[in-house]
Amino acid sequence: SDQKFMYDLLVIGGGSGGLAAAKEAVNLGAKVAVLDFVTPSPRGTTWGLGGTCVNVGCIPKKLMHQAALLGEAIHESAAYGWQVPDPKTIKNDWQALTTAVQNHIKSVNWVTRVELRTKKIEYFNALGYFKDQHTICGKMKNGEEKLFTAKNILIAVGGRPRYPDIPGALEYGISSDDIFSLEKAPGKTLVIGAGYIGLECAGFLNSLGYDATVMVRSIVLRGFDQQMANTIAQEMERRGVHFIYQAKPSKIEKQTDGRLLVNWVDKERQTHQDIFDTVLFAIGRKPLTEELKPENIGLQLVPETAKIEAIDEQTNIPNVYAVGDVLHKKPELTPVAIHAGRLLARRLFGNSTEQMDYVNVATTVFSPLEYGCVGLSEEAAIAIHGEDKIEIYHAYYKPTEFFIPQKDVSNCYIKVVAFRNGDQRVLGMHFIGPNAGEVIQGFAAAIKCNLTFPKLKDTVGIHPTVAEEFTRISVTKRSGLDPKPQS
Ligand code: FAD
Ligand code: NA7
């Protein structure tokens, strides 16, 4: 280890990317410290070590989604012979749910703490900022400051939910930082923003029995295949989620009864209002880069986003690196942060030259009926390669398990985007239906191995599954033939 510095690697941010890099670095013999600090949300919510995914992201989100799926299953089970009490009398207990979710999170926080100790990664509950390019000042909870020096510094500070600049937003609104530990049941909820976080929250709240409304400024799920995105919204609407399109909130006021009066403006500039118990903002996330005092070392941020444009995770300051949600134009996903952090540590301390591949990363929207995808959307493929070069295959399908409870199959839909000629390489796969993430993950590996459409068709399905529908797909959009199941 370099005698000039206290550490070989100092990581700012103990979330998905930072912890993965720290663990890999110590495994390779480096001396490592991690600073992690959670600034309370505007309504005062705070949490432990591990970052967004564990505390206020993927994990609590998936657990609440699971609670929603179980509620659905209770209703279906009668059709399968289960003698359940009248489903209308079955209710979810919000306190019991949040307690179970929070207990799981606390156990993960604890395991993370223990793992850092056994691996001899030094952990400090301190908010870090740059003094110079090798020195970080860490501010502890009690206000005390401590200096840390390191040969290499990794920025893995992630981001936090944004709030709009309208009266009442900060005072009365909440975000995904608060919902998973909310003491009181949310009641009638307005979710503002139609990205994946907004749709997921509105989806599980509706399924848990709360009146949920999504306010959409422009389109649903920007960046995703728009036909798939609209199908997801249609399915949510069918299940009772309300959508207000082309609307922007303008004011939130608290009434004497404690409920929230929300004003919004439509595209004709007409003002509307309604009363909600909870207003949840899911309008995107802002990176926590300004707080690092980047000006102290001349660290460049992208002006429009305040994110970091790194080349192979290296910033414009050679010994300062960045991974995860702070990276400009990279997918904001936990496995992306982890993979990039791990590979970076191997390059820094393990003589590796392997670079992170950010292309064709699969993802899933855990809406009530899930949407999983990998690769290009229909519109992106056409924009990049031209309509003549692209073939779109699509199909509606009927999951076997939907028949007995007579579940609606109208939005179970899949799509394959491929080159029309040559090897007919598959460029994108899109799946709406049960267990979408489980379905898409394996196909993501196939795409990484240059899956072609003939190879997909030559794959023997597993019957009866929903994933096998991809091996049966044959109708092209171009043909105009009916993509509905013919049986
Ligand atoms: P984070 O995990 O955010 O960690 C950064 C840490 O650094 C935090 O603990 C922060 O408090 C701390 N910190 C910040 N500034 C400082 C400082 N100056 N000093 C010290 N510490 C600091 N991804 C998926 O892959 N799948 C999902 O299903 C999914 N669902 C999500 C659902 C929600 C509601 C949200 C909000 C996110 C979800 N994500 C999901 C995204 C995922 O959580 C992030 O991509 C991931 O956590 C990013 O990791 P990171 O290491 O960049 O940052
Ligand atoms: P996203 O995916 O950035 O989506 C934000 C949504 O909020 C999107 O529908 C926006 O509409 C909408 N939005 C943004 N600003 C406003 C304001 N001021 N008022 C109303 N609606 C607004 O964010 P998420 O929170 O879902 O996800 C966070 C990140 O995780 C995201 O960047 C993903 O890459 C991963 P728009 O389409 O801009 O009109």
Side-chain angles (χ1 to χ4, degrees), residues 19-49:
L19 291 177
K23 287 180 210 169
E24 193 70 15
V26 284
N27 285 347
L28 294 166
K31 191 160 189 279
V32 181
V34 174
L35 306 192
D36 189 63
F37 192 88
V38 178
T39 307
S41 75
R43 80 141 32 203
T45 310
T46 180
W47 52 88
L49 176 62

Side-chain angles (χ1 to χ4, degrees), residues 162 192-198 217-219 222 249 282-285 332:
R162 287 197 302 116
I192 298 175
Y196 83 85
I197 295 172
R217 179 170 71 174
S218 55
I219 57 170
R222 179 182 301 285
I283 64 166
R285 299 174 59 81
E332 293 182 17

Side-chain angles (χ1 to χ4, degrees), residues 162 164-165 192-198 215-222 224 247-249 281-285 307 325 330-333:
R162 287 197 302 116
D165 187 14
I192 298 175
Y196 83 85
I197 295 172
M215 188 174 286
V216 189
R217 179 170 71 174
S218 55
I219 57 170
V220 160
L221 289 177
R222 179 182 301 285
F224 288 87
K248 275 200 272 187
F281 292 107
I283 64 166
R285 299 174 59 81
K307 287 193 173 190
D325 284 5
K330 297 289 191 280
E332 293 182 17
L333 295 167

Side-chain angles (χ1 to χ4, degrees), residues 12-18 35-38 50-53 56-58 61 126-128 156-159 176 180 196-197 200 285 288 292 323-325 332-335 337 366:
I12 317 178
S16 309
L35 306 192
D36 189 63
F37 192 88
V38 178
T52 303
C53 173
V56 288
C58 336
K61 179 275 294 294
L127 188 71
V157 294
S176 55
F180 305 114
Y196 83 85
I197 295 172
E200 289 176 343
R285 299 174 59 81
L288 295 174
L292 294 170
V323 295
D325 284 5
E332 293 182 17
L333 295 167
T334 270
F366 292 93

Side-chain angles (χ1 to χ4, degrees), residues 12 127-132 135-137 139 145 155 288-299 301:
I12 317 178
L127 188 71
Y129 65 89
F130 283 100
K131 277 272 180 207
D132 63 51
T135 312
I136 295 294
C137 180
K139 201 168 173 195
E145 295 202 325
I155 300 171
L288 295 174
T289 46
E290 314 274 8
E291 294 82 345
L292 294 170
K293 305 199 179 178
E295 65 281 4
N296 287 354
I297 61 167
L299 175 71
L301 304 181

Side-chain angles (χ1 to χ4, degrees), residues 32 46-47 80 83 118 148 229 245 297 310 403 426 429 459-460:
V32 181
T46 180
W47 52 88
Y80 279 100
Q83 300 180 338
T118 47
F148 302 87
Y245 285 96
I297 61 167
F403 282 96
V426 174
M429 294 177 79
T459 303
V460 177

